[in-house]
Amino acid sequence: HFLLTQPTTMKFYSKLLTLCAFQSWGSDAFVAPTAKPVKPSFALQSALAKWDLGSISPNVGRIEGESRKTWTFGDTSLEVVQVALGSTGRPIAADIELWIGPDWTPMTLQTYSEDGAVRPIQTLVGTRNKVATIEVRNTGAMEFPLSAACNYAPGPLQTIREEIPKMSPGRYVEGGSVYSATFEPDVEQVQVLLKTDTRQLNAQIELLNGPNNMKQKFKVFTNNGVLNSLYLVLNTPGSGNVVRVTNLAPLEFPCKAHITELATSS
């Protein structure tokens, strides 16, 4: 027999309470809490805006092969127009032009997609805060109609072209040079931004799947690569996708390319 002193008795009861707590709570009481998912950044939330034709405009236009359709925008307080072209699975070949005034075309964009359902054309066009008209001309054969939607971009997309350079340093592409970016198989959508320091922008963007297997192609020309910087959203299902940027301008006209992941399957 032995006599427990007061300090020893207090230590004994303290250990006993700890043991009881462990048995009643289980081992989960000592597991660190799971971190909450991080919310997407502002730029990413902006880019995830809806691009299906019906969400852009309730009046989706059908453009037959070798014909065209125009939209006029007169609100000078807004500057960015959202343009999307799609099809039922057939190829798309179309030109998108910005008209300001009776005879000035400050931007032209030639587009091609092998499959307008899987990889629609999705871009933004700056109106320079002026009354402007956007023309979509179907350069394909009569057997290949397309559907087009065109409207002022929603709030987040109005500033996406300014937000992306703040998050991505981009890649300097000199005139006459080529830059390519590859992606993991789980990347389903990427965004591309091409811009200059107010000089002309004359470039070509290709989406490849496999060696020289072109799925989409874009060719842009504008006299001001800031006011009409090129923003594209490209669908990249499957593996082996490559975005290739070619600066078609002379050496004196470099551009900066920002190519970033937008959505993944994971």
Side-chain angles (χ1 to χ4, degrees), residues 32-60:
T34 305
K36 294 182 179 179
V38 179
K39 292 183 179 181
S41 64
F42 172 78
L44 183 57
Q45 289 176 336
S46 303
L48 290 175
K50 292 183 179 179
W51 280 93
D52 54 288
L53 303 186
S55 298
I56 295 174
S57 173
N59 301 317
V60 177

Side-chain angles (χ1 to χ4, degrees), residues 5-264:
T5 62
Q6 184 175 358
T8 304
T9 303
M10 294 179 64
K11 291 181 181 180
F12 173 77
Y13 280 111
S14 176
K15 292 180 180 180
L16 183 61
L17 289 173
T18 303
L19 180 60
C20 292
F22 178 80
Q23 291 177 342
S24 61
W25 296 338
S27 59
D28 292 342
F30 299 93
V31 177
T34 305
K36 294 182 179 179
V38 179
K39 292 183 179 181
S41 64
F42 172 78
L44 183 57
Q45 289 176 336
S46 303
L48 290 175
K50 292 183 179 179
W51 280 93
D52 54 288
L53 303 186
S55 298
I56 295 174
S57 173
N59 301 317
V60 177
R62 177 184 170 95
I63 306 177
E64 303 292 340
E66 301 179 0
S67 63
R68 69 179 188 179
K69 182 176 178 61
T70 60
W71 292 261
T72 299
F73 299 91
D75 189 347
T76 56
S77 66
L78 299 175
E79 200 269 333
V80 179
V81 172
Q82 187 178 9
V83 182
L85 312 179
S87 73
T88 58
R90 295 182 177 184
I92 292 178
D95 292 348
I96 301 172
E97 292 187 352
L98 170 67
W99 299 347
I100 298 178
D103 56 359
W104 185 31
T105 306
M107 178 184 178
T108 61
L109 178 63
Q110 300 175 12
T111 68
Y112 168 80
S113 179
E114 182 185 67
D115 187 331
V118 177
R119 298 178 182 86
I121 306 297
Q122 302 168 140
T123 187
L124 298 177
V125 178
T127 63
R128 308 192 181 194
N129 293 108
K130 299 182 183 297
V131 177
T133 298
I134 291 180
E135 179 205 48
V136 176
R137 184 168 61 252
N138 188 344
T139 59
M142 295 183 62
E143 296 81 10
F144 299 107
L146 61 85
S147 299
C150 193
N151 207 348
Y152 279 117
L157 284 177
Q158 287 284 335
T159 58
I160 188 66
R161 298 182 301 166
E162 289 76 31
E163 293 295 328
I164 290 178
K166 298 177 183 178
M167 300 184 60
S168 166
R171 176 67 176 262
Y172 184 83
V173 185
E174 290 186 340
S177 62
V178 179
Y179 166 57
S180 298
T182 60
F183 302 92
E184 296 296 328
D186 64 338
V187 177
E188 295 186 339
Q189 201 173 61
V190 300
Q191 58 185 357
V192 179
L193 175 68
L194 297 186
K195 64 182 306 181
T196 68
D197 57 354
T198 72
R199 285 180 278 188
Q200 73 173 32
L201 175 62
N202 185 9
Q204 178 177 278
I205 301 95
E206 297 167 287
L207 174 61
L208 309 174
N209 186 263
N212 291 323
N213 183 11
M214 186 178 63
K215 298 299 183 181
Q216 281 187 307
K217 183 177 180 179
F218 303 85
K219 186 177 179 181
V220 61
F221 178 82
T222 176
N223 68 330
N224 190 317
V226 172
L227 297 178
N228 283 114
S229 56
L230 177 63
Y231 176 81
L232 300 170
V233 173
L234 308 178
N235 292 352
T236 57
S239 60
N241 291 293
V242 177
V243 175
R244 183 167 65 190
V245 177
T246 305
N247 190 339
L248 303 175
L251 184 65
E252 299 82 6
F253 298 95
C255 69
K256 183 164 281 191
H258 302 264
I259 305 175
T260 57
E261 300 175 4
L262 192 57
T264 62

